Amino acid sequence: MRKRGYSLAEQLLDTLEERGYRSTSPRRAVANVIAGQERHFTAEELREKLPEVGRATIYRSLKILVDAGVLCRVLLEDGNLHYQLSHRGHHHHLLCVECGASEDLLGCDIEDLLQSVSAAHGFQLSGHWLEVYGRCQSCLQTQVPA
Amino acid sequence: MRKRGYSLAEQLLDTLEERGYRSTSPRRAVANVIAGQERHFTAEELREKLPEVGRATIYRSLKILVDAGVLCRVLLEDGNLHYQLSHRGHHHHLLCVECGASEDLLGCDIEDLLQSVSAAHGFQLSGHWLEVYGRCQSCLQTQVPA
DNA sequence: ATATTAATGATACCTAGTCTCGAAACTAAT
DNA sequence: ATTAGTTTCGAGACTAGGTATCATTAATAT
């Protein structure tokens, strides 16, 4: 839908502008770092990479991006909250506990299953939270190489 | 397996003793409150009910009870951590967002489903976290009574 | 009874995040 | 280009929820 050379960071900023947010230099900095992020990251990590950006601004930006749907919150097994770029729509993550890789879990029947199980209990489903932890293919292969 | 009149609070303390923990008066107080708890509760709520017990002791006790498997951590939709008595084994919760009621989700195929989905992605499953939110039967019924 | 060890509470500390507020920066209208 | 009206900013105070330290106290083993 957009011209070539249109970077991810620019996309993020455009999404914000569409929602009435101004394009400011701290937000550009945040967008650039996030766009270059290969894995999920914490607010603290973002802060370390952008020491010139105020703490409140980091948290504000994260919140805005989550609300806009371009970032999603991820709960790690240790209970820590991370963020990662979200691919369109509601989904869940497969998180590698070794290298931190994550994959989106799509096209599976979890939603339907939950719906029917809830109904069986007389519950009207309103939401759910699911994270799946494990070891990814490449970590399994490099493991015990001797 | 035990004599009659054997209360839940006593069971909790026995579980601790079996694990080498001493039976102390703060722990008895904690066990009594937890045993009488009908819903999930926060560390803070426990603290309010036991102002004579030190903060550190409250948290230490909760940790021990979670490790022992008699309590489990529950993540609410608002992101807050709660605790509730766990019925044997690994399971998930249906949590009513209106009244706070919770039911264990048992005997469903979620584990199997996750196992096969993970395998399809080349992941070796090590764990997962699932909470399901909604409205329970009785809240649905009392809703809009006019 | 005594020695040993575990557990306690007070308090200091920490992490992660929110709130406040005057200053700075962005945008739109002249 | 200036200006007016907003939004956003960062510094720093503050908060919630939890952990670490440690001298004292209490529970158990001998």
Side-chain angles (χ1 to χ4, degrees):
Chain A
M1 240 59 147
R2 284 310 196 112
K3 43 191 164 329
R4 74 212 145 69
Y6 188 60
S7 78
L8 177 50
E10 284 164 31
Q11 277 178 54
L12 298 183
L13 291 165
D14 276 11
T15 306
L16 294 191
E17 279 187 75
E18 278 161 24
R19 300 190 136 230
Y21 293 106
R22 292 181 179 173
S23 171
T24 67
S25 106
R27 281 179 188 158
R28 277 187 290 274
V30 166
N32 279 325
V33 171
I34 289 180
Q37 213 61 28
E38 302 211 339
R39 314 233 166 293
H40 42 83
F41 55 91
T42 60
E44 215 40 49
E45 282 161 8
L46 191 53
R47 236 154 84 59
E48 278 161 27
K49 292 193 177 159
L50 295 169
E52 74 278 13
V53 176
R55 194 203 321 221
T57 300
I58 295 280
Y59 283 105
R60 279 187 286 240
S61 304
L62 286 172
K63 184 170 285 175
I64 290 172
L65 290 167
V66 169
D67 288 349
V70 299
L71 274 189
C72 57
R73 291 177 210 272
V74 171
L75 187 69
L76 259 65
E77 212 165 10
D78 59 12
N80 286 355
L81 188 61
H82 285 231
Y83 295 85
Q84 76 173 44
L85 285 162
S86 62
H87 308 141
R88 294 280 101 207
H90 180 84
H91 60 276
H92 306 288
H93 308 110
L94 275 176
L95 299 161
C96 181
V97 294
E98 224 164 289
C99 70
S102 78
E103 284 182 43
D104 287 357
L105 214 58
L106 291 163
C108 66
D109 309 317
I110 287 169
E111 321 276 327
D112 291 344
L113 181 59
L114 289 179
Q115 188 68 56
S116 66
V117 172
S118 304
H121 284 252
F123 263 71
Q124 183 188 66
L125 203 70
S126 80
H128 59 275
W129 181 304
L130 171 65
E131 302 290 357
V132 184
Y133 312 105
R135 274 182 188 71
C136 73
Q137 209 149 25
S138 68
C139 283
L140 286 171
Q141 280 160 6
T142 37
Q143 214 178 19
V144 198
Chain B
M1 239 59 146
R2 285 309 195 112
K3 43 192 164 335
R4 74 211 145 69
Y6 188 59
S7 78
L8 177 51
E10 284 164 30
Q11 278 179 52
L12 299 183
L13 291 165
D14 277 11
T15 306
L16 294 191
E17 279 187 73
E18 278 160 25
R19 300 190 137 229
Y21 293 106
R22 292 177 180 178
S23 171
T24 67
S25 103
R27 281 178 188 160
R28 278 188 290 272
V30 166
N32 279 324
V33 171
I34 290 180
Q37 213 61 27
E38 301 209 341
R39 314 232 167 293
H40 42 84
F41 54 91
T42 60
E44 215 42 45
E45 283 161 6
L46 191 52
R47 237 155 85 59
E48 279 162 27
K49 293 192 178 161
L50 294 169
E52 73 279 14
V53 176
R55 197 206 318 225
T57 300
I58 295 280
Y59 283 105
R60 279 188 287 240
S61 304
L62 286 173
K63 181 170 286 176
I64 290 170
L65 289 167
V66 169
D67 289 349
V70 300
L71 274 190
C72 56
R73 290 177 212 271
V74 171
L75 187 69
L76 260 64
E77 212 165 8
D78 59 13
N80 286 356
L81 188 62
H82 285 230
Y83 296 86
Q84 76 174 46
L85 285 162
S86 61
H87 307 141
R88 294 280 102 208
H90 180 84
H91 60 275
H92 307 287
H93 308 110
L94 275 176
L95 300 162
C96 180
V97 294
E98 222 165 291
C99 70
S102 79
E103 283 182 43
D104 288 356
L105 214 58
L106 291 162
C108 66
D109 308 317
I110 287 170
E111 319 279 327
D112 291 345
L113 180 59
L114 290 178
Q115 188 67 56
S116 65
V117 171
S118 304
H121 283 252
F123 263 71
Q124 183 188 64
L125 202 70
S126 80
H128 59 274
W129 182 302
L130 171 66
E131 302 290 355
V132 184
Y133 311 104
R135 275 182 186 73
C136 73
Q137 210 151 22
S138 68
C139 283
L140 286 172
Q141 280 161 4
T142 39
Q143 214 176 18
V144 199

